[in-house]
Amino acid sequence: FLSIVAEFCCGFFVILILGNFWFLAVLYLLWLYLDWETPCAGGRRSQWVRGWTVWKYFREYFPIHLIKTSELNPNHNYLLGFHPHGVLVAGAFGNFCTDPPFKNLFPGLTPYLHIMPIWFGCPFFREYIMSAGMVSASKESVSHVLSNKGGGHASVIVIGGAEESLNAHPGSLTLNILNRKGFIKMALKHGAHLVPVFSFGENELFKQVANPKGSWLRNVQEKLQKIMGFALPLFHARGVFQYSFGLIPYRQPINTVVGSPIPVKQNLNPTTEEIDQLHALYLQKLKKLFEEHKSNYGIPAHKSLIFE
């Protein structure tokens, strides 16, 4: 969905340049230059955009639900680790970039969904995604959000990143997380409490062309991901009037479960050992969250998370 909107925005910008409105394009480029750092400085959210009626229908299509398991004190800042990435990250968008799901369950907290910086280079599109509460996934951006002295900020980071989308097959429970410890270091530096979040159903929205590790397709996808910064999963789902083929996601429920916070004491210069220790605790809490709720969402008892 975001890719389609981005392509439309870029196309509109090209029309401005080639048409009789080139001066508007020049003015926008000037604005882009002056506003370039905003995605790393908390963005520019709009409660009006976040409350559009279309998002209500978007959430109801699957449907998308946000499940609270513990209170999050708004006097603290939090770093929410979202799993899994899936193809669309629909649960993250529906729950953290639209109102009122998160707002109603966690009053006093403002969520910021961190996404790849490349998206903020797209003309006009950047204005839309910032208005929804999305900000850059750069270290500078995460630090800005978690540095709020009064608390009340929640950084939402899709830990597995683009690489994990290549594992987004129905039934897959593989998470790319063993070597991802930057978010742990960031939480320690800012004393932000860690909160594991698991979105049941995220991998069920699309069927992806078989791409087992070691296959030629997977090798090409991984090379492209390293070059471009984002992955290109080959997926399909349903059409508008038929259910056999298309790019519209299947209507599968998405239940995003927010776990209990892991208290983190601020440590401006954490050692490797301290980072590894907190990372191991996070994995333990994430696995526990999954095990406690999997039976509620159709996951067989013998299946567990796989960490890579």
Short mmCIF file of all heavy atoms in Angstrom, two decimals, residues 66 79-84 96 156 195-199 256-259 282 286 289:
data_model
loop_
_atom_site.label_atom_id
_atom_site.label_comp_id
_atom_site.label_asym_id
_atom_site.label_seq_id
_atom_site.Cartn_x
_atom_site.Cartn_y
_atom_site.Cartn_z
N LEU A 66 -5.46 -4.70 18.75
CA LEU A 66 -4.33 -4.46 19.64
C LEU A 66 -4.70 -5.00 21.02
O LEU A 66 -5.74 -4.65 21.57
CB LEU A 66 -4.02 -2.97 19.72
CG LEU A 66 -2.76 -2.56 20.48
CD1 LEU A 66 -1.52 -3.07 19.77
CD2 LEU A 66 -2.68 -1.03 20.62
N LEU A 79 10.74 1.44 24.33
CA LEU A 79 11.14 0.97 23.01
C LEU A 79 10.40 -0.33 22.78
O LEU A 79 10.66 -1.33 23.46
CB LEU A 79 12.66 0.77 22.94
CG LEU A 79 13.24 0.61 21.52
CD1 LEU A 79 14.73 0.95 21.52
CD2 LEU A 79 13.03 -0.78 20.97
N LEU A 80 9.45 -0.31 21.85
CA LEU A 80 8.65 -1.49 21.54
C LEU A 80 9.26 -2.22 20.36
O LEU A 80 9.41 -1.66 19.27
CB LEU A 80 7.20 -1.09 21.20
CG LEU A 80 6.22 -0.82 22.35
CD1 LEU A 80 6.69 0.35 23.21
CD2 LEU A 80 4.83 -0.55 21.82
N GLY A 81 9.63 -3.48 20.59
CA GLY A 81 10.17 -4.31 19.52
C GLY A 81 9.02 -5.06 18.86
O GLY A 81 8.37 -5.89 19.50
N PHE A 82 8.78 -4.77 17.57
CA PHE A 82 7.65 -5.38 16.86
C PHE A 82 8.12 -6.60 16.07
O PHE A 82 9.12 -6.54 15.34
CB PHE A 82 7.03 -4.34 15.92
CG PHE A 82 5.80 -4.81 15.20
CD1 PHE A 82 4.54 -4.59 15.73
CD2 PHE A 82 5.89 -5.48 13.98
CE1 PHE A 82 3.40 -5.03 15.07
CE2 PHE A 82 4.77 -5.92 13.31
CZ PHE A 82 3.52 -5.70 13.85
N HIS A 83 7.37 -7.70 16.17
CA HIS A 83 7.70 -8.96 15.48
C HIS A 83 6.39 -9.60 14.99
O HIS A 83 5.38 -9.52 15.70
CB HIS A 83 8.39 -9.95 16.42
CG HIS A 83 9.50 -9.36 17.22
ND1 HIS A 83 10.81 -9.32 16.79
CD2 HIS A 83 9.51 -8.77 18.46
CE1 HIS A 83 11.57 -8.76 17.72
NE2 HIS A 83 10.79 -8.41 18.74
N PRO A 84 6.39 -10.29 13.86
CA PRO A 84 7.42 -10.30 12.82
C PRO A 84 7.19 -9.17 11.81
O PRO A 84 6.18 -8.47 11.88
CB PRO A 84 7.21 -11.67 12.16
CG PRO A 84 5.71 -11.86 12.24
CD PRO A 84 5.29 -11.23 13.56
N PHE A 96 -0.31 1.52 15.32
CA PHE A 96 0.52 2.60 15.83
C PHE A 96 0.49 3.86 14.97
O PHE A 96 1.00 4.90 15.39
CB PHE A 96 1.97 2.11 15.98
CG PHE A 96 2.10 0.90 16.85
CD1 PHE A 96 2.55 -0.30 16.34
CD2 PHE A 96 1.75 0.96 18.19
CE1 PHE A 96 2.66 -1.42 17.14
CE2 PHE A 96 1.86 -0.16 19.01
CZ PHE A 96 2.31 -1.36 18.48
N VAL A 156 8.58 2.54 18.20
CA VAL A 156 8.18 1.21 17.72
C VAL A 156 9.13 0.83 16.58
O VAL A 156 9.18 1.49 15.55
CB VAL A 156 6.73 1.22 17.20
CG1 VAL A 156 6.32 -0.19 16.77
CG2 VAL A 156 5.78 1.75 18.27
N VAL A 195 9.81 -3.33 25.49
CA VAL A 195 8.51 -4.01 25.46
C VAL A 195 8.44 -4.90 24.22
O VAL A 195 8.43 -4.40 23.09
CB VAL A 195 7.33 -3.01 25.43
CG1 VAL A 195 6.01 -3.77 25.44
CG2 VAL A 195 7.41 -2.04 26.59
N PRO A 196 8.40 -6.23 24.39
CA PRO A 196 8.24 -7.12 23.24
C PRO A 196 6.80 -7.07 22.72
O PRO A 196 5.85 -7.03 23.51
CB PRO A 196 8.59 -8.50 23.79
CG PRO A 196 8.27 -8.40 25.25
CD PRO A 196 8.55 -6.98 25.65
N VAL A 197 6.65 -7.06 21.41
CA VAL A 197 5.33 -7.04 20.78
C VAL A 197 5.30 -8.12 19.70
O VAL A 197 6.16 -8.14 18.82
CB VAL A 197 5.03 -5.66 20.13
CG1 VAL A 197 3.67 -5.69 19.45
CG2 VAL A 197 5.10 -4.54 21.16
N PHE A 198 4.31 -9.01 19.78
CA PHE A 198 4.19 -10.04 18.74
C PHE A 198 2.84 -9.90 18.04
O PHE A 198 1.80 -9.85 18.70
CB PHE A 198 4.34 -11.45 19.30
CG PHE A 198 4.57 -12.47 18.22
CD1 PHE A 198 5.86 -12.73 17.77
CD2 PHE A 198 3.51 -13.13 17.62
CE1 PHE A 198 6.08 -13.65 16.74
CE2 PHE A 198 3.72 -14.04 16.60
CZ PHE A 198 5.01 -14.30 16.15
N SER A 199 2.89 -9.87 16.72
CA SER A 199 1.69 -9.67 15.91
C SER A 199 1.28 -10.98 15.25
O SER A 199 1.81 -11.36 14.20
CB SER A 199 1.95 -8.59 14.85
OG SER A 199 0.76 -8.11 14.29
N THR A 256 -2.22 -8.07 17.51
CA THR A 256 -0.93 -7.56 17.96
C THR A 256 -0.93 -7.47 19.48
O THR A 256 -1.64 -6.66 20.07
CB THR A 256 -0.67 -6.17 17.35
OG1 THR A 256 -0.75 -6.27 15.92
CG2 THR A 256 0.70 -5.66 17.74
N VAL A 257 -0.12 -8.32 20.10
CA VAL A 257 -0.09 -8.43 21.56
C VAL A 257 1.11 -7.65 22.11
O VAL A 257 2.26 -7.93 21.76
CB VAL A 257 -0.01 -9.90 22.01
CG1 VAL A 257 -0.07 -10.00 23.53
CG2 VAL A 257 -1.14 -10.72 21.38
N VAL A 258 0.82 -6.68 22.96
CA VAL A 258 1.86 -5.86 23.59
C VAL A 258 2.20 -6.46 24.95
O VAL A 258 1.33 -6.58 25.82
CB VAL A 258 1.39 -4.40 23.76
CG1 VAL A 258 2.48 -3.56 24.42
CG2 VAL A 258 0.98 -3.81 22.42
N GLY A 259 3.46 -6.87 25.11
CA GLY A 259 3.86 -7.54 26.34
C GLY A 259 4.13 -6.61 27.50
O GLY A 259 3.91 -5.39 27.42
N TYR A 282 15.55 -10.11 26.76
CA TYR A 282 14.49 -9.72 25.82
C TYR A 282 13.99 -10.93 25.03
O TYR A 282 12.77 -11.10 24.87
CB TYR A 282 15.02 -8.65 24.86
CG TYR A 282 14.00 -8.19 23.85
CD1 TYR A 282 13.09 -7.18 24.16
CD2 TYR A 282 13.91 -8.78 22.59
CE1 TYR A 282 12.13 -6.77 23.24
CE2 TYR A 282 12.95 -8.39 21.67
CZ TYR A 282 12.07 -7.38 22.00
OH TYR A 282 11.12 -6.99 21.09
N LEU A 286 10.21 -12.31 25.01
CA LEU A 286 9.49 -12.40 23.74
C LEU A 286 8.95 -13.82 23.54
O LEU A 286 7.78 -14.01 23.15
CB LEU A 286 10.42 -12.02 22.59
CG LEU A 286 9.87 -12.20 21.17
CD1 LEU A 286 8.62 -11.37 20.95
CD2 LEU A 286 10.94 -11.85 20.14
N LEU A 289 6.04 -14.40 25.88
CA LEU A 289 4.83 -13.72 25.38
C LEU A 289 4.17 -14.56 24.30
O LEU A 289 2.94 -14.75 24.30
CB LEU A 289 5.21 -12.34 24.83
CG LEU A 289 4.06 -11.52 24.22
CD1 LEU A 289 3.10 -11.05 25.30
CD2 LEU A 289 4.62 -10.32 23.44
#
